[in-house]
Amino acid sequence: MGMGNTPVIILKEGTRRERGKDAQFNNITAAKAIADAVRSSLGPRGMDKMLVDSMGDVVITNDGVTILKEMDVQHPAAKMLVEVAKTQDSEVGDGTTSSVILAGELLKKATDLIDANVHPTIIANGYRLANDKAQEVLKNISKKVSIDDEEQLNLIAQTAMISKSVGGSRKYFADMVVDAVKTVADKGADGKYTVDLKNIQTVKKAGAKMDESYVVKGLIIDKEPVQQSMPKVVEKAKIALVDAAFEVKKTEIDAKIQITDPTQIAAFVAEEENMLREMVEKVKAAGANVVFCQKGIDDLAQHFFAKAGIYACRRVKKSDMERLGRSTGASIVNKIMELDASDLGYAEKVELKKVEDEDMTFITGVKDPKTVSILVRGGTNHVADEVERSLVDAWSVVKVAIEDGMMVTGGGSTAMEIAMQLRDYAASVGGRAQIAIEAFASAMEIIPSTLAENAGRDPIDTVIEMRKQHKAGNKYAGFNPYTGKVEDMAALNVIEPYRIGKQAINSATDAAVMILRIDDVIAARGGAAGPGPQDIPDMDD
Ligand SMILES: Nc1ncnc2c1ncn2[C@@H]1O[C@H](COP(=O)(O)OP(=O)(O)OP(=O)(O)O)[C@@H](O)[C@H]1O
Ligand SMILES: [Mg+2]
């Protein structure tokens, strides 16, 4: 030693540090708190949450990832659970609540083991083994679904929407969603399908019942022609996309123009007028009868367009311009005077339609048939927002079901089957890993038990009954929140894509393992560590 009692300080002042069991305990507590925050919203009988941000804006939702995104989470371990939800959302688009609840439960079961002096590394390794086995079981119990099974796809979409506020109209929305996703699905050379959800666009408008939402095979642009006297409908539209202003550039430097003779003003104005006229002439000469301009259109140019019978919109969003380009085959032109017939796109119809009090442009019969828009309606903006979120969940599950061609039953039946088979597996592994695999198996049961709890039923009785039925060979026994009984989920058509479970179990395991392996948290000033002992660290023990 020889250093006496003077602590050697190697970390900046204000750095906080937690170690060993304290670090683990605090991390796990924070992560579990996140899981608890979303528990009550799981399943058809789950509740919605009203979130109010610091600006006073309100979001009402049942969507796990939305709840967590809106919450201002500080703790680093808690943030890792929020990441689980985000990953689930980006990879699958549904199952965000389940994935977080599962991660929380894996950690809870781990605490029990740590308390019983099982080392976190052993738990982590056991969890990894259990995850591999769970993935295998999941694959084995999944069933095939093809893009032509419209009925099955419709049911998958319905399962994803049942817990949302659109639940009552879910059949109607499911039809819309399946139609939209099938329209944009692409068949690869290997016969497999891919779905690019970017091809499905939503346009929200409050002020009507949610089941007045509908699908448009084409595009909806939230713009109207710049002048009343322009045509309201253009058939066989030749479309120009222009990323330049139909305006005469004002000089950058403040130039003073001295006019000594009134005729000079006239000449000056005439010059401007000519330039604008030339621009419009150029568009006309290229053969366009519709123009979408990303920039501004001068009053005079508007007048020339109207006189030429051209449908012109200005200040169109960049994303809309790109979408227009993709679907109509038009290229976006930066220099008006270089516009050429070959740059134009085509649509059978460009039409001005009134939606509520607003005018919008509908573009249908486009070149690329894989363009779909959904006009989303709802009584208020909050409702329309939640309808949109539910549709996103629904088309995401239909997408992944089509891509993977595999589905499983819901209502906790799949989780329960995995739990049962994991217990058998644990016994075969034996040794110290066995106890961790068993803990993993019990953690899987959090899904059926939370579904039961949220439906006001006894979670323990439900889980026991479900175990019994799975032991007896009913792989599809799950919880029916409407009757409160354990029933056959395949018979009830409660089905969901295989990828929900695959991703949820994977990312929940990853997060739990990562959090378990941490035994030292060093946080710079301002970086939040959990509650508990910290202060100046001593590095010499
Ligand atoms: N009719 C039903 N009967 C039984 N269980 C159902 C039924 N419909 C859905 N479920 C179950 O409800 C759970 C899904 O609930 P929910 O949609 O609230 O959460 P999530 O999908 O995990 O997260 P989120 O949708 O917020 O991303 C799944 O376990 C699913 O099997
Ligand atoms: Mg869901």
Side-chain angles (χ1 to χ4, degrees):
M1 291 289 272
M3 278 194 163
N5 288 328
T6 328
V8 182
I9 299 172
I10 62 162
L11 297 173
K12 231 190 181 146
E13 196 185 340
T15 303
R16 303 201 296 174
R17 187 155 186 215
E18 290 164 6
R19 274 189 284 189
K21 281 203 174 174
D22 277 335
Q24 265 146 10
F25 177 78
N26 289 335
N27 281 340
I28 292 174
T29 307
K32 281 194 306 199
I34 292 296
D36 285 340
V38 295
R39 267 179 81 95
S40 67
S41 68
L42 183 78
R45 288 298 182 84
M47 304 295 282
D48 293 350
K49 296 206 184 283
M50 179 189 265
L51 303 148
V52 186
D53 71 11
S54 53
M55 305 293 288
D57 287 337
V58 172
V59 176
I60 299 167
T61 187
N62 172 288
D63 198 44
V65 70
T66 307
I67 297 168
L68 295 177
K69 273 186 191 161
E70 295 286 333
M71 278 168 48
D72 190 8
V73 174
Q74 287 295 336
H75 194 284
K79 280 186 181 162
M80 289 173 69
L81 245 64
V82 177
E83 282 309 309
V84 170
K86 286 189 184 162
T87 312
Q88 181 78 18
D89 192 44
S90 65
E91 296 289 316
V92 192
D94 188 24
T96 62
T97 311
S98 307
S99 64
V100 171
I101 293 178
L102 185 58
E105 193 64 13
L106 285 171
L107 287 167
K108 187 163 166 235
K109 296 280 181 243
T111 345
D112 299 344
L113 295 182
I114 293 172
D115 284 344
N117 275 324
V118 181
H119 197 274
T121 311
I122 292 177
I123 306 173
N125 292 344
Y127 276 10
R128 286 244 170 270
L129 287 174
N131 180 33
D132 292 346
K133 182 66 185 180
Q135 296 295 341
E136 193 187 308
V137 176
L138 186 65
K139 211 170 213 165
N140 287 338
I141 52 177
S142 67
K143 291 193 260 187
K144 283 197 160 47
V145 60
S146 99
I147 190 167
D148 300 316
D149 289 336
E150 286 208 11
E151 207 188 317
Q152 300 291 316
L153 294 176
N154 181 294
L155 292 167
I156 289 174
Q158 288 195 46
T159 303
M161 286 188 283
I162 194 166
S163 63
K164 316 290 174 196
S165 49
V166 299
S169 313
R170 63 182 183 277
K171 173 127 187 37
Y172 176 76
F173 282 110
D175 282 334
M176 267 173 51
V177 162
V178 173
D179 180 18
V181 176
K182 279 188 74 165
T183 308
V184 304
D186 249 323
K187 193 175 186 167
D190 54 359
K192 288 204 168 122
Y193 285 89
T194 49
V195 176
D196 187 354
L197 292 177
K198 277 210 282 298
N199 291 323
I200 307 178
Q201 168 212 13
T202 52
V203 179
K204 267 178 297 188
K205 203 91 258 167
K209 289 207 305 276
M210 57 172 91
D211 48 20
E212 282 171 40
S213 307
Y214 58 91
V215 174
V216 175
K217 298 281 169 75
L219 291 156
I220 305 171
I221 307 285
D222 197 353
K223 286 283 167 196
E224 57 194 298
V226 282
Q227 283 226 341
Q228 288 277 335
S229 55
M230 286 177 175
K232 304 271 179 283
V233 186
V234 178
E235 310 258 4
K236 301 200 187 326
K238 298 238 179 93
I239 301 168
L241 301 181
V242 179
D243 181 15
F246 288 91
E247 283 161 357
V248 175
K249 259 212 196 97
K250 305 282 178 284
T251 42
E252 297 281 321
I253 329 151
D254 258 333
K256 207 183 251 167
I257 302 165
Q258 278 214 341
I259 295 172
T260 48
D261 175 347
T263 58
Q264 279 177 317
I265 302 182
F268 195 69
V269 172
E271 172 67 15
E272 258 196 37
E273 190 178 317
N274 272 337
M275 282 166 82
L276 290 170
R277 192 194 305 272
E278 263 176 48
M279 290 180 192
V280 174
E281 280 302 322
K282 188 73 193 172
V283 173
K284 213 169 121 185
N289 48 16
V290 174
V291 178
F292 291 101
C293 177
Q294 206 176 320
K295 305 257 165 69
I297 303 179
D298 184 278
D299 286 353
L300 207 49
Q302 293 182 14
H303 166 76
F304 292 140
F305 274 130
K307 255 175 73 183
I310 292 174
Y311 188 113
C313 300
R314 68 174 161 182
R315 307 214 183 282
V316 178
K317 278 192 299 192
K318 184 161 187 263
S319 55
D320 282 340
M321 294 290 280
E322 283 162 0
R323 211 174 271 130
L324 279 162
R326 258 203 317 274
S327 50
T328 66
S331 15
I332 302 172
V333 171
N334 300 313
K335 293 201 175 80
I336 296 168
M337 296 319 280
E338 284 173 12
L339 183 76
D340 183 88
S342 64
D343 296 318
L344 303 184
Y346 179 80
E348 247 136 61
K349 201 177 197 181
V350 172
E351 191 179 2
L352 179 69
K353 280 196 185 183
K354 219 177 190 60
V355 178
E356 214 55 33
D357 48 357
E358 237 170 286
D359 288 323
M360 294 188 179
T361 300
F362 285 57
I363 300 118
T364 49
V366 289
K367 259 194 177 154
D368 176 10
K370 295 190 192 313
T371 308
V372 179
S373 303
I374 298 181
L375 187 67
V376 178
R377 308 304 310 269
T380 66
N381 283 324
H382 290 141
V383 174
D385 285 347
E386 182 69 349
V387 170
E388 187 186 32
R389 278 191 290 271
S390 308
L391 287 177
V392 172
D393 277 18
W395 71 49
S396 303
V397 293
V398 174
K399 164 198 151 92
V400 299
I402 288 176
E403 287 183 349
D404 298 344
M406 296 209 279
M407 59 183 184
V408 295
T409 51
S413 58
T414 299
M416 184 52 92
E417 183 65 20
I418 291 173
M420 197 189 70
Q421 296 200 32
L422 272 179
R423 287 201 178 93
D424 293 341
Y425 170 68
S428 77
V429 171
R432 293 194 295 178
Q434 175 173 354
I435 183 167
I437 299 171
E438 273 162 2
F440 191 109
S442 309
M444 292 299 304
E445 291 175 342
I446 190 68
I447 302 297
S449 104
T450 307
L451 286 171
E453 201 180 319
N454 288 348
R457 298 289 163 157
D458 188 292
I460 297 172
D461 288 350
T462 304
V463 166
I464 289 173
E465 172 61 22
M466 214 184 275
R467 276 188 200 154
K468 205 171 88 191
Q469 294 206 19
H470 278 258
K471 274 240 164 66
N474 185 1
K475 287 187 283 196
Y476 309 127
F479 178 73
N480 181 349
Y482 299 101
T483 59
K485 297 211 174 71
V486 175
E487 288 168 41
D488 188 312
M489 292 292 126
L492 288 174
N493 288 320
V494 180
I495 45 178
E496 46 199 34
Y498 154 80
R499 210 189 293 176
I500 288 193
K502 178 186 162 177
Q503 182 63 42
I505 299 171
N506 249 329
S507 46
T509 309
D510 279 351
V513 165
M514 214 184 271
I515 291 172
L516 279 174
R517 297 182 67 96
I518 299 168
D519 76 338
D520 201 347
V521 175
I522 304 168
R525 194 205 293 268
Q534 50 254 156
D535 294 322
I536 306 284
D538 57 307
M539 294 294 289
D540 62 347
D541 63 339

